[in-house]
Amino acid sequence: MALLLFIYVSIGAFIGLSIYRACQYAKMPLHGRWELYPVPKEPGERGHYGGSYYEELEYWTKPRKVSHMGEMKEMLKEMLFIKNLFVNQKRQWYLSYSLHLGIYLLGLWTVLLLAGAIVELTGTPIVAVNTSPVAAIIYYLTLYAGLAGVALLTIGSGGLVIKRIVNNVFSKYTTPQEYFNLLFLFAVALSGLVVWSVDPAFNYGREIFKGLITFSPITTNAALTVHIVLLGALMIYIPQTKMSHYVGKYFAFHKVLWENEPNLRNSKMEAKVKENLSYKPSTMWSAPHIHHHGTAAPEKK
Amino acid sequence: MDNIKPQDMGKTSDVLVRPEKLMPLPAPYDKPGMEPEFKPVKDTWKEDFCTSLDGFVGNDTLARPKTKEEEQEMIKKFLSGLDKLFSDQTNRGYLQPLALSFEYCAKCNTCSEACHTFKSSGETEIYRPIFRSEVLRKIYRKHKNGDSLVNRFIGGDIDLNIETILRLGELAYRCNLCRRCAQTCPLGLDNGLLAREIRKIFSMEMGIAPKPLHEKGTVNQLKIGSSTGLNKAALLDVIEFIEEDMYDKTGKEYKIPMDKKGADILLTHNAGEFLAWPENPAAFAIIFEEAGLNWTLSSEMIGYDNVNYGLFYDDAQAKKIGIQQFKAARDLGVRKIVIGECGHAHKAATVSMDRNVAGEDNIPRESFLPLLQDLIRKKAIKQDPSRNNFPVTLHDPCNMARMMGLIMPQREIINTICPQFREMTPNGAQNYCCGGGSGFAIMNSFNFPEFRNKIASRMKFKQILNAFQDTIEDPETPKYVCAPCSNCKGAIRDILDYYETTAKFNVHYGGLVELVVNAMPQFERPFLDFLDEEAGMM
């Protein structure tokens, strides 16, 4: 039962801490504009070549056009394929994408395990040969997604650890924590492989989900217990580290680099700006010119 | 010292690294003896300033403390400034972008390949974009966690001593803030921003910033009206001189409207243009007058100088200057501000200061480019492209292209009026900085121009040479680098002079409006001096 509670806690912590982190960023004050082109929400070709509304004569007299679809497409390319890394540093992309695709597939695998658990609770077993096509599809999809996911995650995390050790440039900039993070992922993937080796159809996963749904104890062996503890700890750990870049990336692109909303007269943005300008900070910078209208401090008499 | 790591910033040594194997240049600069060598660092500089990073002195107010007490005081002030960077009281305007770039770097090194300084220097480690950022991270962690085991685990392993602080103060001025690296970051992070934030600590907390930017830059501008030291009376003299010059060149009397209340357009220039390149404001005046626009210049405090060096190092100075510029426009009652050929003034007025203004001061602001494009499209000014029939290439100022999204208008104009136009590679939003960005163009203390000309501007010089490869070794063919930005023009002027490219290979530089006026068929004499001189020689 303790293990079951631990799983609840780790899932809750992952979601809760990730939301908390996102809220921390969302609550930060309105920042100065710091956009960088190309901005994909600029409509049409501009979104590709890097143009903006500043190319139009008296842009403020024309309706502002924003391509949400363009932004969404670019965001998805970055999230699903790590496009920038692929375009600019393909060698690193292979390992990094292996790790990330592995995680995405394991995410899908988790959803499939949940679906399988629900189907089994309704009385239809998830087995290879099945009269129910839904159950058969779930069985095979779970199998392939899980296997591919864990294999890619193992290769990606293990490969990145090795690269960071043997590549002189990478090793200079890698902190012990960054090695630890990769090894943590690798350990979870490896322990998953050990569990899978005695249960190739991932039945254990569906049993755990059935336990979670019905709040009933789960049966585990030593290998599975280790795997659950490691995975749960990882889920609690990730949102507290820079591995939570799934949160940061959204803000870095959507709220900073692609945020080019102009401050037009009587606009919503102008209202925000007014409010921000009325803020009185409690502390100030200390250099003399800060306190003397931008010029040097007056000479002492 | 070989194989340098961020942790080495605090180690005692005469110099951490001296760039040696620079990126090769294309022909004709691929031959030995075509490039001046680095000069030795003077011993007196070593005693008084920080030459221990790479042998260059960029920050000429970063004086080496003389006593242990002064050292401790300097470190203490730096750390106090570091805390203020992460406070929503003192760094409201940049807290979110800073926190993101500070926290999430995956150290994938993708940014390095995009950095012109790193590549030009032959991949000198300290110029790698993440090197500087990683030093800042390590200092912050050490500051917060001391010498604990946790600190070593999270990467706070750096000596928090005076050498680290001084070298970081110099290293903040080895980045042009061009943000090309940020375009390639898979996580959308920005090492240019971090370099600027470091500059802010030094300036806003410690009162240390290069004299050309601060004392002779923003302080002068707030006191006198212009970073050039040009006051109102001197400006009016210069305007008179420009009017005379316009008459000499065109045979037509033009009057530049000054302080015209209720004009449609307030045109603003980088005041450096009035002094160094008066043909640029002259060309604007000719175009605007010929097109019949209702426009004016301002002679009021700061209204005649659209530069804002605060953008490069100090938010407080940037804000004070920006507000004054908008006030000058409001006092004149103009409908809009049009920014002339200055890249950072473009960004300052339209982007950086955009969220520092509201209400009556929030006057619409735009680049001169769409206006000029419109005039040429409408044929409001006559153009004869055959008058510009020589090789022309275009430099995209980072502040206009990458940071504002101004890419196509200048191309449409130049394609219309220059039959031999050819692009640099890469260009547009992916352009390379001229090497003068973020203040480097005006930082001429000690041996900093060597760093600029040989390293920071090297990639641009390579691009220019490549763009003109077909005629570069033909001194009879004039070639023109069009750079619609004062700072970029300054940097390009310096490289063409440093490498004797104008003298040996007939490569010239200038703005866009000069090309437009040169293409006006109603004037007998060419507007561009190098063409005029050639005509004189024949």
Side-chain angles (χ1 to χ4, degrees):
Chain A
M1 204 62 189
L3 210 52
L4 194 73
L5 282 174
F6 176 69
I7 297 172
Y8 282 124
V9 168
S10 58
I11 294 171
F14 180 80
I15 297 168
L17 290 170
S18 298
I19 293 172
Y20 174 70
R21 195 164 260 259
C23 289
Q24 278 183 316
Y25 278 107
K27 276 195 312 196
M28 285 181 179
L30 177 73
H31 60 77
R33 286 175 61 180
W34 195 251
E35 67 245 35
L36 191 68
Y37 291 86
V39 170
K41 72 181 180 191
E42 285 295 324
E45 277 305 298
R46 278 186 192 157
H48 295 287
Y49 70 70
S52 76
Y53 51 85
Y54 287 120
E55 293 186 330
E56 289 176 45
L57 183 64
E58 301 198 345
Y59 69 89
W60 59 89
T61 61
K62 294 163 189 161
R64 172 131 162 80
K65 290 180 194 155
V66 173
S67 168
H68 294 295
M69 187 57 82
E71 182 173 14
M72 190 79 81
K73 262 168 67 181
E74 209 53 36
M75 193 82 103
L76 280 174
K77 278 188 211 167
E78 202 49 60
M79 281 166 58
L80 295 179
F81 305 113
I82 324 182
K83 182 196 148 197
N84 251 341
L85 194 62
F86 180 78
V87 172
N88 296 297
Q89 208 193 162
K90 216 165 279 177
R91 275 182 301 177
Q92 176 72 2
W93 180 84
Y94 289 113
L95 284 176
S96 182
Y97 192 57
S98 172
L99 183 150
H100 286 88
L101 186 60
I103 292 171
Y104 300 156
L105 286 172
L106 289 174
L108 174 67
W109 171 76
T110 308
V111 172
L112 288 164
L113 286 177
L114 174 65
I118 293 167
V119 171
E120 285 196 336
L121 284 172
T122 60
T124 310
I126 303 291
V127 288
V129 181
N130 204 307
T131 49
S132 161
V134 173
I137 289 169
I138 289 175
Y139 176 86
Y140 283 108
L141 282 180
T142 308
L143 193 66
Y144 296 139
L147 261 179
V150 74
L152 287 168
L153 179 60
T154 310
I155 293 166
S157 56
L160 284 174
V161 172
I162 293 166
K163 182 167 183 181
R164 288 198 171 271
I165 292 169
V166 299
N167 182 305
N168 184 36
V169 174
F170 277 74
S171 69
K172 277 185 211 180
Y173 294 92
T174 308
T175 64
Q177 186 182 23
E178 286 156 352
Y179 284 118
F180 175 79
N181 292 350
L182 286 169
L183 286 169
F184 202 165
L185 287 169
F186 183 73
V188 170
L190 206 62
S191 64
L193 277 173
V194 170
V195 175
W196 168 80
S197 66
V198 291
D199 182 2
F202 296 114
N203 291 315
Y204 74 89
R206 281 183 287 273
E207 290 305 317
I208 291 170
F209 269 106
K210 281 194 270 183
L212 287 169
I213 293 166
T214 58
F215 197 62
S216 42
I218 50 174
T219 315
T220 60
N221 56 26
L224 183 55
T225 305
V226 169
H227 180 55
I228 290 172
V229 169
L230 280 175
L231 179 60
L234 181 70
M235 287 173 72
I236 297 167
Y237 177 69
I238 282 177
Q240 302 180 63
T241 70
K242 70 175 180 182
M243 285 194 284
S244 65
H245 56 242
Y246 48 89
V247 174
K249 198 164 177 168
Y250 168 80
F251 285 95
F253 282 105
H254 183 72
K255 287 289 177 192
V256 180
L257 298 185
W258 298 347
E259 210 276 85
N260 64 351
E261 187 65 32
N263 170 20
L264 302 179
R265 284 295 293 273
N266 305 316
S267 64
K268 279 184 191 167
M269 178 53 76
E270 195 184 46
K272 279 191 208 172
V273 169
K274 268 185 192 164
E275 190 190 333
N276 201 44
L277 290 174
S278 67
Y279 185 82
K280 300 275 178 252
S282 58
T283 49
M284 300 261 293
W285 292 86
S286 302
H289 66 270
I290 302 288
H291 305 275
H292 294 97
H293 310 293
T295 56
E299 282 175 25
K300 285 177 187 165
K301 288 181 182 170
Chain B
M1 190 183 281
D2 292 330
N3 202 18
I4 289 159
K5 305 186 292 293
Q7 293 90 323
D8 297 331
M9 284 284 274
K11 292 190 178 160
T12 307
S13 64
D14 194 36
V15 66
L16 201 56
V17 66
R18 193 85 171 128
E20 282 168 358
K21 293 177 185 164
L22 306 184
M23 176 187 74
L25 290 169
Y29 289 86
D30 53 347
K31 300 171 191 75
M34 288 294 283
E35 181 175 352
E37 296 298 324
F38 286 121
K39 294 190 181 93
V41 181
K42 291 184 182 169
D43 285 339
T44 48
W45 302 349
K46 290 180 189 174
E47 285 162 23
D48 297 333
F49 299 94
C50 177
T51 57
S52 60
L53 177 72
D54 53 3
F56 302 109
V57 182
N59 197 343
D60 53 7
T61 58
L62 186 63
R64 200 169 267 284
K66 300 294 177 202
T67 63
K68 284 280 167 207
E69 290 71 32
E70 282 178 15
E71 284 183 4
Q72 287 312 308
E73 182 60 23
M74 195 168 186
I75 296 168
K76 201 173 127 194
K77 271 190 177 175
F78 177 87
L79 296 176
S80 143
L82 188 58
D83 284 335
K84 288 179 183 174
L85 273 193
F86 289 93
S87 160
D88 63 2
Q89 296 300 304
T90 35
N91 200 19
R92 294 179 69 76
Y94 288 91
L95 183 61
Q96 191 183 59
L98 165 69
L100 291 162
S101 289
F102 187 82
E103 186 156 358
Y104 284 113
C105 178
K107 325 274 180 67
C108 69
N109 264 313
T110 310
C111 47
S112 304
E113 290 301 305
C115 175
H116 61 283
T117 301
F118 176 67
K119 297 303 283 183
S120 293
S121 69
E123 307 196 350
T124 301
E125 194 63 33
I126 57 168
Y127 304 143
R128 192 184 285 282
I130 64 165
F131 185 94
R132 184 186 305 104
S133 308
E134 200 51 20
V135 171
L136 183 70
R137 287 188 191 99
K138 284 185 185 298
I139 292 175
Y140 185 79
R141 286 165 189 155
K142 183 74 172 269
H143 172 47
K144 292 296 172 191
N145 300 291
D147 277 321
S148 63
L149 194 63
V150 171
N151 180 53
R152 286 200 291 279
F153 178 67
I154 62 175
D157 48 340
I158 197 163
D159 294 325
L160 232 174
N161 60 24
I162 194 65
E163 212 51 55
T164 303
I165 303 301
L166 289 170
R167 282 174 172 153
L168 188 62
E170 271 297 330
L171 192 54
Y173 289 92
R174 299 296 183 272
C175 166
N176 283 112
L177 314 186
C178 81
R179 303 179 64 207
R180 195 170 188 272
C181 58
Q183 279 181 321
T184 66
C185 177
L187 293 165
L189 313 181
D190 196 334
N191 290 296
L193 174 92
L194 294 181
R196 185 176 178 275
E197 295 297 296
I198 297 169
R199 294 182 185 190
K200 277 164 57 178
I201 299 177
F202 279 89
S203 177
M204 296 171 74
E205 188 68 6
M206 304 161 78
I208 296 169
K211 278 183 192 170
L213 302 186
H214 186 66
E215 192 181 315
K216 294 177 184 166
T218 60
V219 171
N220 251 357
Q221 197 170 5
L222 289 163
K223 234 195 279 187
I224 302 168
S226 167
S227 56
T228 58
L230 191 74
N231 61 23
K232 181 173 179 170
L235 171 78
L236 295 175
D237 280 348
V238 172
I239 295 293
E240 218 175 292
F241 161 77
I242 292 173
E243 285 170 343
E244 285 166 16
D245 203 43
M246 283 194 284
Y247 178 72
D248 286 347
K249 285 201 163 180
T250 64
K252 190 169 173 180
E253 278 188 23
Y254 289 100
K255 184 80 191 149
I256 295 176
M258 298 297 298
D259 302 319
K260 186 175 161 188
K261 292 262 180 193
D264 195 43
I265 295 167
L266 168 64
L267 175 67
T268 66
H269 290 297
N270 177 322
E273 299 283 345
F274 294 122
L275 301 174
W277 300 286
E279 66 276 12
N280 183 274
F284 267 104
I286 293 167
I287 294 166
F288 279 27
E289 286 297 299
E290 290 296 327
L293 301 181
N294 177 13
W295 68 290
T296 187
L297 294 185
S298 167
S299 71
E300 290 308 313
M301 188 70 177
I302 304 184
Y304 57 89
D305 191 356
N306 65 14
V307 309
N308 191 339
Y309 294 155
L311 251 62
F312 303 148
Y313 75 101
D314 191 305
D315 291 344
Q317 295 293 82
K319 187 173 175 180
K320 286 169 200 158
I321 290 168
I323 287 169
Q324 282 283 325
Q325 287 165 337
F326 297 147
K327 186 180 170 297
R330 191 189 71 181
D331 289 348
L332 282 172
V334 296
R335 193 172 64 83
K336 64 177 177 181
I337 299 173
V338 170
I339 303 122
E341 294 195 2
C342 177
H344 88 269
H346 266 72
K347 190 179 81 171
T350 58
V351 176
S352 305
M353 289 301 111
D354 195 39
R355 292 180 183 170
N356 277 314
V357 65
E360 286 184 353
D361 286 343
N362 193 2
I363 293 162
R365 307 164 298 274
E366 70 176 347
S367 165
F368 74 100
L369 283 168
L371 177 61
L372 190 58
Q373 180 190 34
D374 187 58
L375 296 178
I376 288 179
R377 275 184 185 171
K378 285 181 183 162
K379 301 194 187 304
I381 41 175
K382 291 178 207 155
Q383 293 283 274
D384 174 7
S386 69
R387 292 168 67 98
N388 285 334
N389 194 13
F390 45 84
V392 174
T393 191
L394 175 69
H395 163 67
D396 285 289
C398 304
N399 284 313
M400 290 183 188
R402 194 162 19 254
M403 298 180 219
M404 270 184 78
L406 274 167
I407 313 287
M408 285 305 175
Q410 60 270 48
R411 285 177 166 70
E412 187 181 312
I413 295 164
I414 212 162
N415 270 308
T416 308
I417 63 169
C418 297
Q420 293 193 50
F421 170 62
R422 70 278 311 275
E423 289 278 12
M424 292 183 191
T425 307
N427 56 63
Q430 278 75 35
N431 75 322
Y432 278 115
C433 172
C434 62
S438 81
F440 287 14
I442 53 165
M443 286 165 58
N444 289 313
S445 306
F446 303 100
N447 56 355
F448 195 70
E450 271 195 343
F451 170 78
R452 184 180 63 232
N453 289 322
K454 281 181 74 82
I455 298 176
S457 293
R458 194 176 192 84
M459 191 64 86
K460 184 52 59 183
F461 187 47
K462 181 182 174 184
Q463 283 194 290
I464 292 169
L465 294 173
N466 279 336
F468 294 135
Q469 272 300 298
D470 55 343
T471 55
I472 189 72
E473 295 195 58
D474 169 15
E476 297 303 313
T477 305
K479 293 156 280 277
Y480 188 86
V481 184
C482 174
C485 164
S486 293
N487 276 320
C488 303
K489 271 195 302 200
I492 292 169
R493 172 192 60 197
D494 288 357
I495 45 176
L496 297 183
D497 181 48
Y498 185 80
Y499 294 93
E500 300 179 328
T501 319
T502 304
K504 289 179 178 166
F505 303 108
N506 207 1
V507 179
H508 303 268
Y509 73 95
L512 180 60
V513 286
E514 292 91 318
L515 281 172
V516 172
V517 175
N518 196 59
M520 287 182 165
Q522 64 264 47
F523 305 130
E524 203 177 309
R525 281 178 63 188
F527 189 76
L528 296 168
D529 280 344
F530 63 89
L531 296 176
D532 210 14
E533 282 165 13
E534 279 190 353
M537 282 189 289
M538 277 194 286

